[in-house]
Amino acid sequence: MENQILPTRSSMPKFEEYCQEIKELWESHWLTNMGCKHKELEEKLLKYLKTDNITLFTNGHLGLECILAGMDLKGEVITTPFTFASTTHAIVRNGLKPIFCDINKDDYTLDVDKIESLITENTSAILPVHVYGHVCNIKEIEKIAKKYNLKVIYDAAHAFGIEVDGVGIGNFGDASMFSFHATKVFNTIEGGAVTYKDLNLNKILYDLKNFGITGPETIDYVGGNAKMNEFQAAMGICNLRHVDNEILKRKKIVDRYKERLGNTKGIKLVKSQDGVKENYSYFPVVFEDYKYTRDEIFEKLKEKNIMARKYFYPLINDFGCYKDEHSSDETPVASYIASRVLTLPLYSDLDLEKVDEICDIILK
Ligand SMILES: *Cc1c(COP(=O)(O)O)cnc(C)c1O
């Protein structure tokens, strides 16, 4: 639809810039299997994310599946239900059991005070999510992980480029997964990466994303196919040149939203975190005893052709595939937020006039 405002809009380089980037591929005929573009993007991201080790994937989800497999985890994994389906699916598809921990009321990441009571002798890892780009309570999670000898894998799908006191977000825990899906702050059309501490994981991840092929005549793992191809990597190389500027443009939009909605009774915004360099990936608004409910606001915006998103609703523990064994009653805070939250449209070239129009509809 012509005038429809969607929750998000993919960042793209100029057409000519992308054509220039993929031109070589018509000379080399090397389209996938860790070619030049793949290697170049890997090196560039290592610098941008300020991490020591990185492996690229065809999407973030398979990256998460591979890192869980690569760590050879067993039993139960403590995680949040307030996230995208991918987080829990990656656990379950690895034959592991998700244990849902509630979130905190301030930034909607894992409530660290509720983790310990969920740990059993079967727990092998914690999988928190830097939801909306809000940084989890990294210090407390690390303390708990050390005490019980658990691995920590962060779902950093929303956290591209975020830094804590100058340290890249991908350096915390044992590993972090980033998503480069079309709707994320930085995209490779579809794509993703895993960053990690243990250098030994490099070879395992490489093999897992390439059928477990370890040599010309040896196959040593039951791997899958999760390689990022050259066209994806070329898109990433182009988009990476502009991502800082895109984030700056997002900041202006978020600043306007905050200015317009910030001091309204019944509208709850999340505070900026100390020492955190943000990426302005989402703008979640919680309607808490506001004159309209979340669903009423959603409908009012929709009537004007503006699509906000009930992100995340429903909660994962209420999904058809999980509700027999789980329930959102076990995570009351997540349940409360999920029924009141709306993420407002946000992308780098969203006009400030449109932002004002959205705010007017909400405040009217
Ligand atoms: C986007 C997303 C993923 C999955 O990433 P893909 O690249 O789309 O596979 C995982 N977790 C969260 C929280 C996400 O938002």
Side-chain angles (χ1 to χ4, degrees):
M1 248 187 283
E2 272 285 306
N3 293 317
Q4 199 176 36
I5 300 283
L6 296 172
T8 181
R9 192 163 185 258
S10 300
S11 297
M12 292 171 86
K14 290 252 165 16
F15 178 65
E16 292 74 19
E17 184 180 352
Y18 186 62
C19 287
Q20 189 59 37
E21 200 61 48
I22 59 174
K23 204 159 186 274
E24 292 160 50
L25 303 177
W26 265 260
E27 286 147 28
S28 68
H29 285 245
W30 189 320
L31 305 185
T32 185
N33 285 21
M34 286 61 92
C36 293
K37 299 291 169 195
H38 185 287
K39 286 183 189 133
E40 186 182 336
L41 181 63
E42 206 162 64
E43 276 163 30
K44 293 202 153 105
L45 285 173
L46 210 52
K47 284 207 191 92
Y48 190 87
L49 296 171
K50 300 185 179 175
T51 58
D52 296 328
N53 303 303
I54 192 167
T55 300
L56 303 185
F57 289 89
T58 192
N59 58 55
H61 177 79
L62 285 173
L64 190 56
E65 281 198 16
C66 285
I67 186 66
L68 296 178
M71 286 181 171
D72 202 19
L73 301 174
K74 300 273 185 292
E76 299 171 355
V77 177
I78 295 173
T79 189
T80 166
F82 191 70
T83 178
F84 184 56
S86 168
T87 318
T88 308
H89 286 352
I91 294 171
V92 175
R93 288 169 64 86
N94 265 285
L96 299 160
K97 185 172 180 206
I99 302 294
F100 293 109
C101 178
D102 210 352
I103 59 174
N104 71 63
K105 285 197 180 86
D106 301 321
D107 59 27
Y108 318 138
T109 64
L110 271 192
D111 182 346
V112 291
D113 294 331
K114 292 184 184 148
I115 296 176
E116 277 196 88
S117 66
L118 297 170
I119 295 174
T120 71
E121 56 187 10
N122 297 321
T123 310
S124 62
I126 308 173
L127 206 176
V129 180
H130 299 302
V131 69
Y132 306 130
H134 305 152
V135 179
C136 296
N137 190 335
I138 285 165
K139 282 200 186 108
E140 275 312 308
I141 291 170
E142 188 179 328
K143 248 191 234 166
I144 296 167
K146 270 217 177 99
K147 184 169 165 193
Y148 294 93
N149 194 25
L150 306 173
K151 296 281 190 220
V152 178
I153 304 101
Y154 284 104
D155 180 332
H158 295 178
F160 186 83
I162 287 177
E163 294 176 11
V164 182
D165 297 324
V167 179
I169 192 86
N171 291 291
F172 301 102
D174 296 283
S176 299
M177 177 277 286
F178 293 88
S179 166
F180 308 149
H181 182 257
T183 56
K184 303 297 202 292
V185 166
F186 165 75
N187 85 76
T188 61
I189 310 171
E190 291 258 10
V194 174
T195 59
Y196 41 93
K197 282 223 172 76
D198 179 6
L199 182 60
N200 293 317
L201 284 167
N202 184 269
K203 187 174 159 24
I204 297 167
L205 288 174
Y206 191 96
D207 293 342
L208 283 173
K209 74 175 178 183
N210 190 26
F211 303 105
I213 299 170
T214 52
E217 298 182 359
T218 50
I219 295 187
D220 294 327
Y221 299 97
V222 187
N225 180 2
K227 306 181 297 283
M228 177 183 283
N229 71 47
E230 292 295 279
F231 287 81
Q232 292 173 289
M235 189 65 144
I237 291 167
C238 294
N239 278 335
L240 195 59
R241 292 185 191 120
H242 308 290
V243 71
D244 285 338
N245 194 36
E246 294 282 298
I247 291 174
L248 216 64
K249 286 182 157 152
R250 283 171 171 275
K251 180 181 187 307
K252 292 202 177 116
I253 295 158
V254 166
D255 284 348
R256 179 70 70 104
Y257 271 134
K258 282 186 175 167
E259 186 190 314
R260 293 289 317 274
L261 303 175
N263 294 313
T264 312
K265 205 168 159 279
I267 294 185
K268 190 179 154 200
L269 310 181
V270 176
K271 287 196 190 76
S272 288
Q273 298 171 301
D274 288 342
V276 173
K277 181 182 162 203
E278 300 175 54
N279 69 1
Y280 309 97
S281 48
Y282 298 91
F283 193 72
V285 175
V286 168
F287 297 95
E288 204 170 31
D289 306 318
Y290 187 55
K291 56 187 170 182
Y292 306 109
T293 65
R294 183 272 307 271
D295 290 351
E296 283 165 352
I297 299 279
F298 177 85
E299 290 302 329
K300 272 160 63 115
L301 291 169
K302 199 169 142 193
E303 279 165 24
K304 296 271 156 64
N305 243 337
I306 296 164
M307 303 305 298
R309 197 171 168 201
K310 297 178 193 177
Y311 197 61
F312 298 95
Y313 177 85
L315 281 185
I316 295 196
N317 35 15
D318 282 339
F319 281 8
C321 51
Y322 296 123
K323 70 176 172 10
D324 288 347
E325 288 185 47
H326 302 276
S327 157
S328 58
D329 294 346
E330 292 160 17
T331 54
V333 177
S335 191
Y336 180 92
I337 299 298
S339 63
R340 288 167 178 79
V341 72
L342 204 56
T343 54
L344 301 181
L346 176 54
Y347 44 87
S348 61
D349 51 4
L350 180 65
D351 290 338
L352 289 179
E353 291 91 82
K354 270 288 163 197
V355 175
D356 281 337
E357 191 187 324
I358 292 165
C359 294
D360 288 342
I361 295 169
I362 294 171
L363 296 170
K364 204 175 68 188

